[in-house]
Amino acid sequence: MHDKLFTPGPTEVRAELLNELASPQIHHRTEEFRKLYDELQIYLKKLLFTENPVFLFTSSSTGAMEAAVTNGVKKRCLCLVNGAFSQRWYQIAQQNGVPCDRVDVEWNKAIKPELVDEKLSSGKYDAVTMVFNETSTGMMNPLKEVGEVIKQYDDVLFLVDSVSAMAGTEIRVDEWGIDMCLAGLQKAFALPAGLAVASVSDRLLARAEEVEKRSYYFNLLNMYKYHQRSQTLSTPAIPHLFALRRQLKDIIDIEGIENRFKRHREMAHYVQEWALEYFDIYPEKGYWSQTVTCILNTRDISIPDLNKELVNKYHMRIANGYGDLKGKAFRIGHMGDWTLADIRGLLVTINDILSLK
Ligand SMILES: *Cc1c(COP(=O)(O)O)cnc(C)c1O
């Protein structure tokens, strides 16, 4: 029996999807592949409410984050930082020699649109990076509202990491003015790790034309050239693409996008209620994530001991706090294909272990 992952990525993958990885391989320069690629485009565009192409990255999400800042910044990038992954994005920009500044907000506070407006009014920036759902803190930043602010600035691109949110909660790429919306598949998509996807706007491609080339593999123009032929630049992770096709069909044609988002809201609400009853929730109210809850360890329990017992006796795994929050908080992932019943089962088990009544 395997350990069930209630971690905020990687997440549990259904056997049907794992089986897709064992499909006979196809060649990536064939008509059969182009058909697969086109099908993925149709479904991914539906999921993201966009007309933009959605590129496939044979890398984890970090590769797509790197592509965003190396292709999308000519003048200077504003990195909005309120957690570990948004901080990483700043470091990625820095280490690639991309001109950038960070603006820091306390990790339990959301990025507010007014702050973004104030920073952009300096006229120094032509791109903004933001993490929609900070997996490290269980914070969901106000994506739509920040997008509204950025729309007021004509030449500023909006680069969004939606890694642990995409396929779990609504993201309207075109309406909300998102130029790049990226995610790895091992979070709310509930697929194995190793592939990332990102929608890319015309504005971003135009910017990439003007930027000094910093990469071949993560060069969006190279990727676009192949996209136009319904192909990828290099050999993609073909097994993952089969699994992605199956999962997108299940999400869109069988469960329904709206139902999927509703199920995530219900799971989140249930975990939040439990957390408030027995512990507390780390981020400020009003911005709690719909896919992961970061629970303050107000009872001073041993999180490693709790996890050990969960894994050894019940084959369930949750996550400790991230970075500085280790020991001070723990995280429960309620994303992907888990149901409310699964989440109830986990919380009943934790109550049992901790003798909570
Ligand atoms: C997991 C995660 C990442 C990093 O993803 P990798 O696939 O490990 O590169 C980046 N951002 C967020 C918000 C994440 O949750």
Side-chain angles (χ1 to χ4, degrees), residues 8 60-63 65 85 88 131 133-136 161-164 184 186-187:
S60 78
S61 326
T62 305
M65 292 165 84
F85 291 107
R88 180 190 289 185
V131 172
N133 190 63
E134 253 299 351
T135 318
S136 60
D161 165 341
S162 62
V163 175
S164 53
Q186 80 276 24
K187 309 258 168 114

Side-chain angles (χ1 to χ4, degrees), residues 146-288:
V146 171
E148 292 302 329
V149 167
I150 294 177
K151 276 188 201 166
Q152 313 297 316
Y153 296 89
D154 274 352
D155 58 341
V156 178
L157 297 181
F158 192 19
L159 310 172
V160 175
D161 165 341
S162 62
V163 175
S164 53
M166 192 188 290
T169 185
E170 183 179 66
I171 305 172
R172 292 188 172 262
V173 164
D174 292 355
E175 234 177 278
W176 300 352
I178 303 169
D179 292 289
M180 182 153 169
C181 187
L182 67 94
L185 297 187
Q186 80 276 24
K187 309 258 168 114
F189 272 101
L191 286 162
L195 190 80
V197 299
S199 70
V200 173
S201 72
D202 290 346
R203 279 159 33 106
L204 175 52
L205 290 172
R207 176 69 57 76
E209 297 266 10
E210 295 176 20
V211 171
E212 189 194 333
K213 296 298 165 290
R214 292 187 172 88
S215 175
Y216 179 86
Y217 194 64
F218 291 122
N219 182 323
L220 294 181
L221 297 173
N222 289 347
M223 293 176 86
Y224 185 56
K225 199 168 107 189
Y226 283 85
H227 165 82
Q228 288 169 304
R229 307 173 192 159
S230 302
Q231 288 183 9
T232 52
L233 170 71
S234 56
T235 321
I238 295 165
H240 282 75
L241 300 186
F242 290 135
L244 176 60
R245 173 169 60 185
R246 169 71 193 262
Q247 179 65 322
L248 285 167
K249 284 185 172 179
D250 285 355
I251 291 173
I252 292 168
D253 298 339
I254 296 179
E255 183 176 21
I257 303 181
E258 293 309 326
N259 291 336
R260 188 175 181 86
F261 297 160
K262 181 162 165 269
R263 177 166 56 76
H264 278 80
R265 281 196 300 275
E266 287 167 356
M267 293 192 293
H269 188 69
Y270 193 84
V271 176
Q272 288 158 7
E273 291 288 304
W274 176 86
L276 290 177
E277 186 169 351
Y278 298 108
F279 295 91
D280 207 349
I281 295 178
Y282 178 69
E284 66 174 311
K285 205 170 174 207
Y287 301 93
W288 295 339

Side-chain angles (χ1 to χ4, degrees), residues 84-146:
F85 291 107
S86 41
Q87 177 164 279
R88 180 190 289 185
W89 218 350
Y90 170 73
Q91 289 161 351
I92 292 169
Q94 259 195 328
Q95 291 185 23
N96 277 286
V98 174
C100 57
D101 294 324
R102 60 190 280 173
V103 51
D104 282 89
V105 172
E106 275 178 272
W107 283 24
N108 61 346
K109 295 283 186 299
I111 304 286
K112 305 287 159 52
E114 302 77 44
L115 173 72
V116 181
D117 198 15
E118 182 200 319
K119 291 288 167 189
L120 290 182
S121 64
S122 68
K124 272 165 55 180
Y125 304 106
D126 63 357
V128 175
T129 63
M130 187 170 92
V131 172
F132 176 25
N133 190 63
E134 253 299 351
T135 318
S136 60
T137 62
M139 167 84 68
M140 210 156 227
N141 286 305
L143 180 61
K144 182 181 173 196
E145 290 75 9
V146 171

